[in-house]
Structures are given as structure tokens and as C-alpha cells.
Amino acid sequence: MSIKTLLTAALAISTSITFAQDQAVLANNQQAKAKEKKTKAFVALGNWRGVAKVKEGLEIPFNFEINEKGGQQKLYFRNAEESFEGGVVKQTADSIFVKLDQFDNELAFAIDGDRLTGALRKQDKSGKPLIINAERKNYRFEADRPASADYSGSYDVIFTAPSGKEEKTVGLFKQIGNKLTGTFLRVTGDSRYLEGIVEGNGFQLSSFIGSSPAYYKGTFGADGTLKGEVLSARGSQPFSGNKNKDAALPDPYQLTYLKKGYKTLDFSFPDVNGKKISLKDEKYKNKVVILTITGSWCPNCVDEATFMAPWYKKNKNRGVEIIGLHYERSTEPEYAKKVMGRFRERFGIEYDQVLAGTADKQAVSESLPALDSFLSFPTTIIIDKQGNVAQIHTGFNGPATGKFYDEFVKEFNTEIDLLLKK
């Protein structure tokens, strides 16, 4: 074969290879553009109906919306009149991720057409994920028939534990047509905003803000009674009650108190930087001091911080201070710094926070031995100018409780005003 023939053949092979490479690059570019187009075509903004598959036979619906503000997309959980900020939405080519920093959780969704399929999981990937799917729907429960009556009002309600122990609560319900909203007020706090429906005389209520979904179902009686159960992954707990416009709980100021012989609390706990803080510090002398026994994991503590943070900004120049005594799921320094820092940033907290122990009632009793009968996160303790305990309030009546929340705010401000005048 001549050299000319060989050169011609080599050139043909080279041209063929180059053509094949060009075609491969073109195909890759087309795939990338198609993927990019698909990503751009999916818009997460809008209203969604999520369903949490808690266990076999138990699916709990909830609602959320994704909004864009300032060039950033955020997810908000909707329960009754509340829109609770979940976190920033991050979208990739085929997935959506939302870090729910308030509870150290994360929503991870795969984009499936115009649906989302995924799970709620811990940010460190520990534990068992909770399967959650979502569709573009704006209802929570569907009602096929009208409500038999208007069951709005307050009820004395008893929850019965598997052990047989009874817990007295107050059920607060507001009904408009088929729509039902409400909450259950306990001595330890309330179940926050519940939303659902009444169909005939049966009702369903649910709530979800990124921690554990809640689900209540039952029936109202024509004679003013109600009965039902609260369902979760751990099982069910029955409840029953009677309508009572004067339904109320035991006095929250008489449930937790100091042991005999004590007048104050003596502690020295570190902040996230390791600095020890005590009531004996110069900063707190001759001031009214509010102690909040709290935790970033606690939904009712969220409501308390929502009230306390702006209250402190408004009143800090009057001679008052607040110390947040945090009991967290872990006392490991980096973890505590992370969750307490997020809590501080979310609510704009300007008062001191200390790490007092783990999220356990026994840990509170051991770290604050002067306290007797500690019952609830949160608990609010008011110290007078002389350093003595003036008042202890067990639990927190959040805004979902309506008049009970208003009463707490009024009583709290009255007590502070009186102590500042002494």
C-alpha cells in the first residue's frame, strides 16, 4: 500500500473519531440542557399538601407553602392561622432539600413530575426517617357531608394513659362550616395550632411544624360530650370530655415551687463559649431576673421565646434581665453551640443563654435542687431585686390558646411592674 493511500486512510479514521467525539459532546450538551430545562421547568413555589406515613394504617396530612422573598425560597408550615417558618429551600436537578434547623431535622424530596416523594430525617442522618410525600393541593382533610352542628367552645377533657393515669386538659375549638381549628391546653403547655374538619359529628385534627406530626380524631355528642383518641407512632391515647364554658386548669403558679428552707436558686452554668453565668454576677444585682427553663427542641418553648425575645428588647432598660436555662438533647459543646445559636438567631434573642443540662425533667431537678415538683418545659421563674424567687409559672399558654395566652401576658406584665416598683 502506498504512503498516499495510508495517509488518506489515517485522515479518514481521524475524521471519523473527531466526528464521533463531536457527536458525544453534542449529546452531553443536549442532555445537560434538557436536565437544566427540566429543573427550570419545575417551580416549587405554591401550596402543597403533605402526607406523613407514620406507620402502617396511619397517614397524617398537613399543609405547607413555598414562597420566594429577596431571591430566596422558604418553606412555611400552615396550621390554622399560623404560618410557621420551616427553612430555606435548596433545589437541585432532581431534588429539594429543606433544613428545619429549629428541630435539627431535614426534609429531603425527590421531584417526581409535579409531586414530591421523600422523608423527614435528622440532619446527621441518625434514626429512622419518616416517609413524607406531597402534592400541589390546598386542602388538608376532605369532607363529603356537612357538619351536624356547630361544636365550637371549650371542653373539660381527660386524656387516659396506658397505665390508667388521667390527665386533665382543656379543649378549645372553633368551627366554621366544616372547618375546625383548636388546641388542647395542658398544665405542661398546649398542643399549639390544630387544624381539620368536622364531618357529621366526627372530627379530625392535625398539626406539623417540622418535629413530630400530631393527629387527633373523635366525635362530638349532641349532649355536649366528646370522645376520641390521639394517634402517633407509639400508639393511641383515648380522651373524653364535656362542654364547659368555664373549663380551666389548676393554677399554674401553684404547681412548681421551692423546697422548704429555700428562697432562691443557686447555679453556675456555662454559655456556649464556656463562660460561667450565675445569679450572683454583678449584671443581675438589684434587678428583676426572669429565668426560662427551656430547650430548642420544645415547641412550647418556641412560643415562649417568640414572646420573651421582643418583650426583653422593649423592657431591658427598665432594670430587668432574662437568662435562658437550656436543657438540650446533647450537652456536647459543638452540638449545644449549634442548636442554641440557631435558637438565638431565629428569635432575635439578646438575653443570656446557658447550657444547664440534658432535655430531661430529672436533669432539671438535679441541676436546680431547690426546685420541687418540676413538671414542664418551659417553666418561667421570676426573681425579685433581692434575689429571691417571687413567682414560678409551670408551662406556657401559647397564642393558640387565645384568652389563656392573653391572661398570661397580662399577669406576667403586672408581676414585673410590681416587682420593679419595690
Side-chain angles (χ1 to χ4, degrees):
M1 184 181 293
S2 67
I3 293 177
K4 182 177 180 180
T5 302
L6 288 172
L7 289 174
T8 300
L11 180 60
I13 293 172
S14 176
T15 301
S16 177
I17 292 174
T18 301
F19 177 76
Q21 290 174 335
D22 289 342
Q23 290 296 103
V25 170
L26 180 61
N28 288 335
N29 287 340
Q30 289 175 336
Q31 290 176 0
K33 287 180 179 180
K35 198 172 186 180
E36 181 181 358
K37 184 177 180 181
K38 181 181 178 181
T39 302
K40 288 182 177 179
F42 182 85
V43 179
L45 301 178
N47 297 316
W48 294 84
R49 178 182 186 263
V51 176
K53 296 186 177 181
V54 177
K55 62 179 181 179
E56 190 66 33
L58 178 58
E59 296 186 350
I60 303 178
F62 63 95
N63 301 104
F64 65 92
E65 59 183 329
I66 297 177
N67 292 332
E68 184 170 358
K69 188 175 181 180
Q72 193 175 57
Q73 292 186 6
K74 286 188 177 182
L75 180 146
Y76 295 84
F77 294 105
R78 292 194 289 112
N79 296 286
E81 60 198 70
E82 180 184 48
S83 180
F84 187 91
E85 182 180 322
V88 176
V89 177
K90 300 291 185 182
Q91 183 176 339
T92 65
D94 56 4
S95 305
I96 287 178
F97 300 92
V98 187
K99 287 192 177 297
L100 310 174
D101 288 342
Q102 179 60 56
F103 303 107
D104 205 32
N105 286 337
E106 176 184 50
L107 282 172
F109 289 123
I111 298 171
D112 181 12
D114 206 31
R115 298 175 67 252
L116 300 175
T117 60
L120 173 74
R121 63 193 185 192
K122 299 300 293 182
Q123 290 185 7
D124 63 3
K125 309 301 188 293
S126 64
K128 184 179 179 180
L130 177 65
I131 296 174
I132 293 182
N133 298 323
E135 295 182 280
R136 290 188 187 277
K137 296 178 179 178
N138 201 27
Y139 69 90
R140 181 168 300 211
F141 297 98
E142 286 187 297
D144 295 326
R145 54 198 173 101
S148 300
D150 185 347
Y151 300 103
S152 300
S154 57
Y155 293 73
D156 284 314
V157 182
I158 299 293
F159 282 77
T160 305
S163 64
K165 182 179 179 180
E166 295 185 341
E167 180 186 12
K168 178 179 172 58
T169 74
V170 174
L172 304 172
F173 304 105
K174 182 179 179 180
Q175 181 185 338
I176 300 176
N178 282 107
K179 185 175 181 179
L180 182 70
T181 58
T183 193
F184 291 93
L185 177 61
R186 295 173 164 85
V187 295
T188 56
D190 60 273
S191 53
R192 303 192 79 258
Y193 293 92
L194 299 174
E195 179 181 339
I197 61 167
V198 177
E199 186 179 22
N201 70 330
F203 69 87
Q204 298 182 78
L205 291 163
S206 70
S207 177
F208 182 56
I209 58 171
S211 180
S212 298
Y215 177 60
Y216 300 75
K217 72 173 184 177
T219 57
F220 291 105
D223 57 353
T225 61
L226 69 78
K227 62 180 180 179
E229 59 182 335
V230 55
L231 298 165
S232 68
R234 295 187 295 271
S236 67
Q237 184 178 13
F239 60 84
S240 61
N242 296 278
K243 196 168 189 178
N244 179 5
K245 65 180 180 61
D246 298 317
L249 293 175
D251 186 351
Y253 300 100
Q254 302 298 321
L255 299 175
T256 304
Y257 43 88
L258 293 182
K259 293 177 181 176
K260 188 175 181 179
Y262 288 90
K263 292 183 178 180
T264 190
L265 298 174
D266 186 14
F267 62 81
S268 180
F269 298 131
D271 64 13
V272 294
N273 297 312
K275 178 186 175 183
K276 290 294 184 70
I277 291 177
S278 167
L279 280 173
K280 297 177 181 177
D281 295 344
E282 190 67 30
K283 178 178 181 178
Y284 305 109
K285 288 183 178 180
N286 300 315
K287 290 184 178 181
V288 174
V289 182
I290 302 153
L291 305 178
T292 67
I293 299 179
T294 186
S296 63
W297 49 272
C298 161
N300 291 127
C301 299
V302 166
D303 287 336
E304 186 193 47
T306 302
F307 166 74
M308 285 293 182
W311 184 92
Y312 178 70
K313 291 178 183 179
K314 183 179 179 180
N315 292 276
K316 62 183 178 181
N317 294 325
R318 298 175 63 202
V320 295
E321 291 293 342
I322 299 178
I323 306 175
L325 308 182
H326 279 251
Y327 291 82
E328 297 295 341
R329 297 193 185 281
S330 170
T331 56
E332 194 277 323
E334 287 305 310
Y335 175 84
K337 189 171 186 177
K338 176 183 69 173
V339 297
M340 289 170 64
R342 288 172 173 174
F343 198 74
R344 188 177 191 84
E345 181 178 356
R346 177 176 182 124
F347 300 106
I349 292 173
E350 295 181 358
Y351 49 82
D352 288 330
Q353 297 167 281
V354 297
L355 180 60
T358 55
D360 179 78
K361 293 178 183 179
Q362 185 60 35
V364 176
S365 298
E366 292 174 356
S367 60
L368 299 172
L371 276 186
D372 201 339
S373 301
F374 178 77
L375 298 174
S376 171
F377 294 96
T379 289
T380 308
I381 304 171
I382 301 178
I383 312 290
D384 65 21
K385 292 181 181 179
Q386 289 70 46
N388 298 320
V389 172
Q391 186 184 90
I392 301 178
H393 186 283
T394 298
F396 187 80
N397 305 328
T401 66
K403 68 176 183 178
F404 293 93
Y405 173 72
D406 294 337
E407 287 172 3
F408 167 79
V409 172
K410 182 180 179 180
E411 293 165 354
F412 177 83
N413 283 309
T414 298
E415 180 69 10
I416 297 298
D417 290 343
L418 288 173
L419 293 176
L420 286 174
K421 291 177 181 177
K422 292 182 179 181

